[in-house]
Amino acid sequence: MMYISNLISEVLLLSTVHLVQLPVVAGRKWSGLGTTPNLEAIVIGRCNDYIETVNPSVGKKNCSAIWIAFKSAFVSKDPCSVLPSDYELYTNLTLHDIPADKSLFWENNKQLVHRYSDRTKRYMPLGDTLMGWLADNLYFCGSTTDPGIDYDSCPVMAECEHNAEESFWRMASVTYAKHSFGDIQIMLNGSTPGGAFPVPSFLADYEIPNFQRDKVSNINIWVMDEIGGINVDSCGENSTAVLESILTSRHFPYKCYNNYRPVRILQCVDIPDHPECATNNRCGDFTSWMTMISAWLTLLLIMEIAFIN
């Protein structure tokens, strides 16, 4: 409990350096989407799916208690007065170990990250932990009037800082960062117009500051350009250089890769005929790689037939 208390203090301290909370106006309609319908069924269903099929290694969890802890953080509350600390019980109930070398942080490439992580099979980004899995891509906020949940609209960051979703992901980000160890991966989008490493951001403000020097052995930065996209950022340049300087100042060893080959190959699966996939200087000769794999599979098939005969 001492750990969670310290974690909450750090999140609240960080919260004060960002946007100033706007005054709440009675009856105001927010610009964000309203709470996702059937939220309870979705959260409990996801919880059971996670512990039974996605990642059974976390052991048994009380999904009903987790739902109650989750909704208690924001239901029947002012939608602009939800703090990270309100998710303390939820954090305790969903917490589990993150395997060594499997943490994957990111900015501006969520879809690619989750395709590559493959539901915890390769890596375990925040959205693939139980804590993040249950709330990923959902909208939620409370209301001081019945039924205690606003299904019409929810506030966004520009309207009020301490909204239910922002506070949730702040708490989750800090917790995830503190529990990551071994080699850590950071995937950035090198085609983002504003730069691959945005500041402020969850990565810059809540995750990197909570990396543990005694637990992290190395940080691998993957700067991935979009297929056919512009090359805004690369290792040692622009905002990526800012990230590298931050890691250096915090005494974290790191390596940086432009268009990390395994991820680049995944990007090319859907558009293999694109020129950047056929022969990409930053990725290597994709065609030659596929030829090598084809020959290897053919050899295995010949060996299997010979063994049968």
Side-chain angles (χ1 to χ4, degrees), residues 33 47 70 73 88 109 127 143 173 175 194:
L33 293 176
C47 179
F70 177 70
E88 179 179 353
N109 46 21
S143 171
S173 292
T175 305

Side-chain angles (χ1 to χ4, degrees), residues 200-219:
S201 64
F202 280 96
L203 177 60
D205 299 324
Y206 299 100
E207 294 172 338
I208 292 176
N210 286 288
F211 289 170
Q212 306 296 295
R213 278 196 291 270
D214 59 335
K215 295 181 179 180
V216 177
S217 54
N218 182 65
I219 296 177

Side-chain angles (χ1 to χ4, degrees), residues 51-209:
I51 63 178
E52 297 296 340
T53 67
V54 177
N55 189 14
S57 66
V58 302
K60 296 299 181 181
K61 300 286 186 180
N62 189 331
C63 293
S64 295
I66 288 173
W67 159 249
I68 292 173
F70 177 70
K71 73 171 185 176
S72 296
F74 62 88
V75 170
S76 298
K77 293 183 179 180
D78 182 333
C80 286
S81 298
V82 180
L83 301 176
S85 58
D86 293 326
Y87 294 99
E88 179 179 353
L89 180 57
Y90 173 86
T91 299
N92 288 332
L93 293 176
T94 57
L95 199 61
H96 60 80
D97 291 337
I98 301 170
D101 308 324
K102 295 300 183 181
S103 292
L104 174 54
F105 297 81
W106 56 273
E107 282 293 344
N108 295 316
N109 46 21
K110 178 179 179 179
Q111 183 178 6
L112 179 60
V113 163
H114 285 280
R115 286 179 63 199
Y116 189 61
S117 68
D118 194 16
R119 291 164 56 99
T120 77
K121 291 181 178 65
R122 293 192 186 94
Y123 290 94
M124 189 180 288
L126 174 56
D128 282 355
T129 65
L130 179 58
M131 182 190 312
W133 182 272
L134 302 187
D136 197 27
N137 295 323
L138 298 181
Y139 302 95
F140 47 93
C141 66
S143 171
T144 54
T145 60
D146 288 337
I149 296 178
D150 193 336
Y151 291 99
D152 295 324
S153 62
C154 289
V156 297
M157 179 67 171
E159 292 171 315
C160 62
E161 180 179 357
H162 298 302
N163 64 71
E165 294 174 34
E166 181 73 17
S167 291
F168 175 90
W169 289 111
R170 287 183 181 184
M171 185 68 161
S173 292
V174 172
T175 305
Y176 177 66
K178 283 183 173 289
H179 282 78
S180 297
F181 69 102
D183 278 13
I184 284 179
Q185 285 62 231
I186 298 176
M187 190 187 298
L188 303 177
N189 187 336
S191 296
T192 303
F197 178 62
V199 178
S201 64
F202 280 96
L203 177 60
D205 299 324
Y206 299 100
E207 294 172 338
I208 292 176

